[in-house]
Amino acid sequence: MEDSTALEQEKENQESGEEGRPWDQMTAASAQDPQPGLSEHPESEQGPDPGPQPGSSPPRSPARSSPPVDDLACPGASPPSPPREPSSTPPLALSGQHLAAPWQSDKTTSGIPEAGTPRPDHWQQSSDKGASTPHQTCQSKGNAFQQFQQTDSHLYEPRDANGNNSKQEDLRSDIFQEEDSDSQHHLDEAEPEPEPEAAPSMLEMAIQSAKAYLLKTSSKSGLNLYDHLSNMLTRILDERPENAVDIIENISQDVKMAHFSKKLDTLQNENEMLPTYEIAEKQKALFLQGNLEGADQELEDEMAEPSLPNVMESAFYFEQAGVGLGTDEIYRIFLALKQLTDTHPIQRCRFWGKILGREMNYIVAEVEFHEGEDEEEVEEEDVTDERDNGESEGEDDDEDELPRSIYKAPQPVPKEESRTGANRYVYFVCNEPGRPWVKLPSVTPAQIVIARKIKKFFTGRLDSPIISYPPFPGNESNYLRAQIARISAGTHVSPLGFYQFGEEEGEEEEEVESGRDNFEENPDFEGIQVIDLVESLANWVHHVQHILPQGRCNWFNPIQKSEEEEEEDDEEKEEEKEEPDYMEQEVGPPLLTPISEDLEIQNTPPWTTRLSSNLIPQYAIAVLRSNLWPGAYAFCNGKKFENLYIGWGHKYSPDSYAPPVPPSASQEYPSGPEITEADDPSVEEEQAFRAAQEAAALPAEENEDTEEDEDDYD
Amino acid sequence: MDSDSLLLSLELASGSGQGLSPDRRASLLTSLLLVKRDYRYSRVLFWGRILGLVADYYIAQGLSEDQLAPRKTLYSLNCMEWSLLPPATEEMMTQTSVVKGRFMGDPSHEYEYTELQKVNEGDKVFEEEIVIRIKEETRLVSIIDQIDKAVAIIPRGALFKSPFGPTHVNRTFEGLTLSEAKKLSSYFHFREPVDLKNKTLLEKADLDPSLDFMDSLEHDIPKGSWSIQMERGNALVVLRSLLWPGLTFYHAPGTKNCGYIYVGTGEKNMDLPFML
């Protein structure tokens, strides 16, 4: 505010000092009235006259209204100001008849109470206060300015209105100036209207009035059209868009938006950008880590074979196949995998794929630990122990009369040991490369069985609950792990001959016949012709074990354990369930079965093969796409192969999903001798019974004696 | 996605794993330019890819000056030779709605569908099995049309309606701001409005007639049929349709880069309510 007042003051000085003369000339040229000349004279004289600043004060002849300004400008100048007063009175006196009324109105509008007070008192007040409030100064200044103009050019009503307008605008000094000059012109033109040169001035006047209209300030936004148009034109000329006429509406909108957006709080902007910086900061760690890790080479020396896969190489081949992520994203994942292998005792690592979610995605890494891992196993066992304890406590309590529920939940099928079956690998997931890796829990058969019956989108939060009809045992991390197990079992394939069965493992396993579940890389693998891989599905084999309907890879006979625990109950309770299982063991296709034997669903072949490029077949690679699990791909270039899954994590079915039927309602007890009761005994029966008792009384006494005898013996 | 900025768009949309092999990219860049010249389109969009069992259909669309005018759809199996598809009709829709399963990848493949029809012969009414043959090309047309009508989207402000009627690309579109990009209401269906006409005056009161002339996404049924994600640390917003899995829309806030691509089997996800 103070700045603006200073500005205005400067301007006033200018106007009075310098521009005052042009106006003089103009008025002199256009209007021949004697009055302007007269009124001008004192002013022009006085402008230079009080050479020591403030030179503008003289026109403000009614100094009463503007003392604060004077104070502000030069407090020391207050003594000389009174002498000025008489010198400034002449214009008052000259144009006195005209001026009297408007001034009065000005004073009232300016709302300065001091205006009416005697002069000396006022001086005192203002000097006491040092300076009145800026607002007041401003107002008084505007008032003074107005008066200055009025003296300058024979006041009359419209001009006064203009002056009031300008007062509203006192913040925008440039407009102030323009408007003033406009009004000045307006006035100057208006006066000579009756004069001979009316024709050109009519036109000019129309222009001026139009301009004045354009300059009218909107009370809502504080803008005026004149400025807006000039801003727009400036912008168009600066940016030079093609066909500017087509987009003029948008430019206009943008200019207005820009005007308002300046007022935005900077703190707010900062907050909006925060997540961007946050993830960049985290990913920076990925890039920096390489340098740090390079320092200690001992770890790397220990490992004979690198645990980190060559992600970029397989990404290159997948790109040939038309799948995969962007180059920079895959590189970030590569770095994230490096971070994972550096921080965990990992023997082998693989980029499994990406599962899309609704809010966030999962990047999945498949790892194999060194021999001495399994920290988490202990924790999980504890959990199961707790559960067992809970059950046993419940059993202990029942020594009462009422029958307890004899329904026992079907024997839970135990999960497979780590490093075997469906838990052969450990999976780590993260939402974005750079965020921390989270280890997924190992999968239980029950989770796989239920996961086969439901179809849910992943949310991207591992701890979100899975709400489904067959209640899913676990949260999203368990569901994710189950789907990963299913997808791996279904879609991880390798070219025939790459893997072979290891010989030692067969002896270790109990069930050698059902399927050896260990394999090793074939050192004598010579590679397969790519064209053979494309033409025949028999050249691809599964190298992940099939998951049985039971939910495990290796058959677990549930009846054995239960027999050990409680033999008698088994026959009654587990009849329905266990017997068929006992009869036939679930068998799936053994390991390393060609995928040509996969089941097809309703005329849809389970796999599609393709050559990556028909144009250059000699360097093309074979691409395998799963139709059962949309998003699962494999490639082989003869020697190397890789599997990748990117998708929603759902199995394909041509029919829409049907929720499983509700379980059948239990049958009630059949109405048998235990349920039905005999009629109450009749009187005859009781009498007959009593007669029989009396008849038997004597032998009974004898019996009692014998019993006592027996007791004695004991 | 615009054929002119295909490479950048593919890079942006790659988060869903849907890419194009280098030879496909190169051939698309070449052939779409020729398509634009030969068919005199003002703009050519690479629409996407429908995965068939034997081969894939690559789909492109030609737009005229008016962006909302009916589009011409072309398909190709090798990304070089493009064939024009006939416009979709209601009849095609009803006819192909009975076909289920995957596309084969052969446009002349015929699906056979047996239908029971009641035949009146005198007094007797008996049912007769009629085998209907549906060409895959017809199915392709109707599926593309359905996807376009259901999930083709464009950010608010990318198009504007001129006072003379036609809809143009908005040159001054500078991208959505970050806060707008996270809201479904900032995205419109890229088609003639359907729901907008049914709205009340009160609902329309705040709309800008030159920008809000299309249906917004936020009223889609069912709620939650879109997954909206900020990727690369808010530098990219990705919308994935859950109703038509495979459709990915990408937009880098603050820039003009936006577009959508469909890579999928061409089947609607009827299980959506179970999966949410």
Side-chain angles (χ1 to χ4, degrees):
Chain A
M1 206 60 178
E2 283 177 358
D3 287 350
S4 69
T5 53
L7 259 178
E8 278 173 33
Q9 197 150 18
E10 258 186 300
K11 200 179 303 150
E12 270 180 67
N13 296 345
Q14 277 184 355
E15 279 168 9
S16 63
E18 297 155 21
E19 292 179 20
R21 277 166 209 157
W23 293 347
D24 292 354
Q25 288 161 6
M26 280 171 70
T27 46
S30 57
Q32 308 300 326
D33 280 351
Q35 273 189 346
L38 285 173
S39 64
E40 227 61 67
H41 278 301
E43 199 192 328
S44 52
E45 281 167 11
Q46 277 175 356
D49 243 331
Q53 292 307 319
S56 62
S57 47
R60 279 183 236 132
S61 43
R64 283 169 233 151
S65 60
S66 61
V69 184
D70 281 349
D71 273 7
L72 258 182
C74 52
S78 48
S81 59
R84 245 183 260 156
E85 189 126 351
S87 69
S88 61
T89 34
L92 245 182
L94 278 170
S95 54
Q97 299 123 357
H98 300 270
L99 288 176
W103 272 4
Q104 204 57 44
S105 69
D106 276 339
K107 277 174 194 168
T108 49
T109 48
S110 63
I112 301 173
E114 291 93 317
T117 59
R119 204 187 318 147
D121 292 348
H122 179 63
W123 286 121
Q124 200 58 40
Q125 276 181 4
S126 55
S127 59
D128 282 346
K129 288 174 187 170
S132 57
T133 62
H135 177 69
Q136 211 175 356
T137 351
C138 198
Q139 262 189 338
S140 64
K141 180 116 43 65
N143 193 11
F145 195 1
Q146 216 170 345
Q147 284 161 359
F148 158 56
Q149 287 169 349
Q150 283 163 355
T151 50
D152 189 15
S153 50
H154 350 278
L155 317 158
Y156 62 107
E157 289 313 313
R159 199 180 174 290
D160 198 2
N162 274 337
N164 280 336
N165 260 350
S166 71
K167 206 192 290 179
Q168 289 176 357
E169 275 286 331
D170 54 1
L171 281 183
R172 300 178 55 99
S173 51
D174 51 340
I175 292 176
F176 198 0
Q177 189 169 7
E178 266 180 301
E179 203 160 329
D180 284 343
S181 60
D182 285 341
S183 56
Q184 209 61 52
H185 289 300
H186 183 83
L187 288 175
D188 295 342
E189 301 315 322
E191 289 243 336
E193 230 176 282
E195 303 299 320
E197 324 81 273
S201 65
M202 270 288 274
L203 183 65
E204 268 185 67
M205 191 186 93
I207 292 170
Q208 293 306 330
S209 66
K211 193 176 174 189
Y213 166 72
L214 291 180
L215 280 162
K216 207 160 84 178
T217 308
S218 156
S219 58
K220 207 170 160 190
S221 61
L223 297 173
N224 68 48
L225 189 56
Y226 186 85
D227 282 354
H228 181 65
L229 284 174
S230 63
N231 285 344
M232 268 170 69
L233 289 175
T234 313
R235 181 170 165 157
I236 290 173
L237 290 177
D238 283 350
E239 296 180 2
R240 302 264 169 182
E242 219 176 307
N243 299 344
V245 66
D246 296 339
I247 52 169
I248 190 77
E249 298 92 343
N250 300 98
I251 294 177
S252 163
Q253 199 176 15
D254 282 357
V255 167
K256 281 193 181 175
M257 296 270 274
H259 180 263
F260 286 116
S261 60
K262 273 179 198 164
K263 291 174 187 168
L264 266 183
D265 190 359
T266 46
L267 275 179
Q268 220 171 6
N269 277 339
E270 206 65 30
N271 271 335
E272 253 180 2
M273 295 298 289
L274 268 180
T276 318
Y277 296 136
E278 189 192 353
I279 187 71
E281 190 65 40
K282 278 186 180 150
Q283 291 187 338
K284 187 184 165 192
L286 292 181
F287 290 96
L288 287 182
Q289 205 192 14
N291 301 334
L292 298 175
E293 216 53 40
D296 49 341
Q297 287 186 337
E298 295 168 14
L299 275 176
E300 288 173 20
D301 293 340
E302 281 177 19
M303 286 179 270
E305 57 182 83
S307 58
L308 188 68
N310 192 346
V311 175
M312 292 314 285
E313 188 188 10
S314 38
F316 167 75
Y317 286 118
F318 275 118
E319 196 190 350
Q320 305 294 311
V323 266
L325 309 164
T327 322
D328 63 334
E329 185 172 2
I330 201 86
Y331 196 77
R332 291 207 169 99
I333 291 172
F334 194 13
L335 288 172
L337 287 180
K338 178 167 169 26
Q339 187 191 38
L340 181 69
T341 52
D342 287 342
T343 49
H344 292 78
I346 285 168
Q347 190 182 14
R348 213 174 62 84
C349 174
R350 210 174 70 78
F351 175 44
W352 187 88
K354 181 174 178 179
I355 287 192
L356 303 176
R358 287 164 59 201
E359 295 160 27
M360 280 181 284
N361 305 323
Y362 292 114
I363 290 162
V364 185
E366 181 183 87
V367 304
E368 241 178 318
F369 279 120
H370 281 296
E371 296 300 326
E373 40 82 48
D374 302 357
E375 307 134 21
E376 207 173 306
E377 292 304 311
V378 187
E379 298 166 19
E380 282 175 21
E381 276 166 18
D382 289 346
V383 174
T384 51
D385 285 347
E386 281 167 23
R387 270 183 214 153
D388 291 343
N389 291 340
E391 283 171 19
S392 56
E393 280 167 21
E395 281 165 16
D396 290 341
D397 290 344
D398 74 299
E399 297 276 337
D400 49 358
E401 320 79 39
L402 292 173
R404 295 183 67 248
S405 168
I406 54 161
Y407 173 78
K408 281 193 72 179
Q411 166 86 40
V413 182
K415 70 178 181 187
E416 287 166 299
E417 292 298 304
S418 65
R419 308 177 75 88
T420 62
N423 288 326
R424 183 184 171 89
Y425 299 106
V426 179
Y427 292 91
F428 281 86
V429 296
C430 67
N431 289 125
E432 241 175 302
R435 295 194 190 278
W437 290 95
V438 179
K439 184 179 170 184
L440 290 181
S442 48
V443 68
T444 65
Q447 285 163 354
I448 289 185
V449 171
I450 298 289
R452 280 182 170 141
K453 292 182 189 160
I454 62 174
K455 197 174 177 187
K456 298 288 275 185
F457 274 119
F458 291 98
T459 61
R461 285 173 282 110
L462 280 177
D463 54 350
S464 56
I466 298 284
I467 301 162
S468 61
Y469 155 52
F472 186 78
N475 56 17
E476 189 166 298
S477 63
N478 301 99
Y479 182 51
L480 179 65
R481 181 64 185 82
Q483 290 300 90
I484 288 175
R486 293 178 65 203
I487 293 171
S488 303
T491 66
H492 278 192
V493 293
S494 56
L496 180 67
F498 190 85
Y499 288 118
Q500 63 182 8
F501 289 116
E503 285 155 20
E504 301 162 14
E505 287 84 358
E507 294 159 19
E508 291 172 12
E509 293 299 315
E510 296 164 9
E511 300 156 296
V512 189
E513 320 84 41
S514 69
R516 293 170 287 182
D517 67 345
N518 259 304
F519 53 85
E520 59 192 20
E521 276 185 35
N522 185 356
D524 306 326
F525 181 64
E526 299 133 13
I528 292 189
Q529 283 294 312
V530 168
I531 195 72
D532 292 341
L533 286 167
V534 173
E535 279 173 357
S536 168
L537 284 178
N539 285 322
W540 295 88
V541 294
H542 286 281
H543 63 259
V544 173
Q545 279 181 298
H546 178 80
I547 300 183
L548 300 171
Q550 191 190 33
R552 287 168 57 106
C553 292
N554 300 312
W555 171 249
F556 166 77
N557 197 345
I559 207 162
Q560 290 173 345
K561 262 195 180 175
S562 48
E563 274 172 0
E564 292 163 17
E565 286 167 4
E566 25 188 350
E567 289 178 7
E568 296 163 13
D569 295 347
D570 257 340
E571 292 158 18
E572 298 169 6
K573 294 164 193 169
E574 301 187 10
E575 251 178 340
E576 305 110 83
K577 289 215 167 181
E578 300 301 327
E579 255 183 322
D581 280 358
Y582 190 64
M583 299 297 280
E584 46 177 315
Q585 172 180 335
E586 289 171 1
V587 191
L591 209 56
L592 303 189
T593 309
I595 60 172
S596 52
E597 291 170 22
D598 283 6
L599 295 176
E600 75 171 26
I601 33 164
Q602 299 189 7
N603 305 323
T604 306
W607 296 93
T608 299
T609 55
R610 204 162 56 79
L611 208 57
S612 68
S613 171
N614 293 319
L615 303 172
I616 313 169
Q618 54 268 44
Y619 294 116
I621 55 170
V623 180
L624 192 66
R625 184 164 78 205
S626 172
N627 294 326
L628 227 53
W629 292 96
Y633 295 86
F635 82 84
C636 178
N637 65 349
K639 288 268 185 196
K640 289 199 169 89
F641 79 96
E642 190 58 77
N643 297 288
L644 182 72
Y645 180 86
I646 300 180
W648 294 100
H650 295 136
K651 195 168 182 169
Y652 172 79
S653 73
D655 299 320
S656 37
Y657 166 79
V661 286
S664 52
S666 307
Q667 292 291 323
E668 288 189 16
Y669 276 109
S671 174
E674 308 94 38
I675 307 295
T676 50
E677 290 178 357
D679 292 336
D680 286 344
S682 58
V683 180
E684 291 82 25
E685 280 171 346
E686 291 197 357
Q687 282 173 346
F689 179 69
R690 191 172 299 161
Q693 262 189 334
E694 284 168 6
L698 284 175
E701 283 167 13
E702 286 169 17
N703 282 346
E704 282 170 13
D705 296 338
T706 54
E707 277 171 16
E708 284 163 13
D709 294 341
E710 282 167 10
D711 289 339
D712 292 339
Y713 291 135
D714 289 336
Chain B
M1 50 180 66
D2 232 322
S3 64
D4 302 334
S5 58
L6 188 70
L7 294 185
L8 175 67
S9 309
L10 282 175
E11 180 70 25
L12 290 177
S14 62
S16 316
Q18 302 153 347
L20 283 177
S21 59
D23 64 327
R24 294 291 188 210
R25 276 188 221 177
S27 46
L28 278 179
L29 281 177
T30 311
S31 62
L32 287 182
L33 209 61
L34 295 179
V35 163
K36 191 173 173 181
R37 182 195 66 181
D38 294 344
Y39 290 91
R40 302 193 181 168
Y41 296 134
S42 74
R43 197 174 158 209
V44 175
L45 300 179
F46 177 60
W47 186 85
R49 187 153 69 116
I50 289 186
L51 308 174
L53 291 176
V54 182
D56 297 347
Y57 293 102
Y58 292 85
I59 314 289
Q61 280 185 333
L63 270 66
S64 61
E65 200 60 55
D66 183 2
Q67 301 287 319
L68 280 190
R71 295 164 224 174
K72 306 284 195 320
T73 309
L74 303 106
Y75 77 92
S76 167
L77 292 170
N78 59 2
C79 288
M80 282 316 286
E81 291 139 15
W82 294 89
S83 334
L84 196 64
L85 285 172
T89 59
E90 281 294 322
E91 190 192 357
M92 280 183 186
M93 297 278 183
T94 50
Q95 200 183 9
T96 55
S97 61
V98 294
V99 183
K100 278 184 178 177
R102 299 280 300 266
F103 280 85
M104 293 306 290
D106 173 16
S108 58
H109 177 263
E110 285 187 339
Y111 299 95
E112 287 186 359
Y113 173 70
T114 51
E115 199 179 52
L116 292 177
Q117 277 198 347
K118 285 181 181 172
V119 177
N120 290 317
E121 272 191 21
D123 325 335
K124 295 177 185 172
V125 176
F126 61 92
E127 292 187 334
E128 191 182 5
E129 281 194 358
I130 294 178
V131 178
I132 302 175
R133 292 176 177 277
I134 301 166
K135 275 188 80 175
E136 182 155 283
E137 195 178 23
T138 319
R139 190 183 169 207
L140 188 66
V141 168
S142 76
I143 288 291
I144 291 173
D145 191 55
Q146 281 181 50
I147 294 177
D148 253 351
K149 287 198 170 132
V151 289
I153 54 177
I154 192 136
R156 179 179 184 272
L159 297 180
F160 78 96
K161 202 180 184 80
S162 73
F164 305 108
T167 310
H168 294 292
V169 177
N170 187 354
R171 288 167 194 274
T172 55
F173 177 60
E174 302 261 304
L176 301 170
T177 63
L178 204 55
S179 53
E180 284 172 339
K182 289 175 184 167
K183 285 183 242 160
L184 274 186
S185 55
S186 316
Y187 302 95
F188 288 141
H189 285 284
F190 196 1
R191 54 146 196 226
E192 287 287 346
V194 177
D195 301 332
L196 200 63
K197 291 167 188 153
N198 304 332
K199 283 194 174 173
T200 60
L201 270 180
L202 200 63
E203 286 169 310
K204 285 195 222 173
D206 291 337
L207 303 184
D208 177 352
S210 71
L211 294 182
D212 302 296
F213 55 92
M214 289 185 284
D215 291 332
S216 113
L217 280 193
E218 63 180 335
H219 301 300
D220 277 14
I221 298 171
K223 266 200 165 23
S225 61
W226 289 97
S227 141
I228 187 161
Q229 286 191 28
M230 304 301 295
E231 290 190 358
R232 304 185 188 180
N234 284 1
L236 182 70
V237 57
V238 175
L239 266 77
R240 296 192 178 94
S241 173
L242 304 183
L243 195 59
W244 290 91
L247 187 119
T248 309
F249 169 87
Y250 60 88
H251 174 51
T255 71
K256 284 185 186 182
N257 299 323
C258 63
Y260 63 93
I261 184 172
Y262 180 83
V263 179
T265 58
E267 288 169 289
K268 194 175 183 176
N269 179 15
M270 303 302 284
D271 312 333
L272 184 61
F274 293 109
M275 297 169 74
L276 291 176

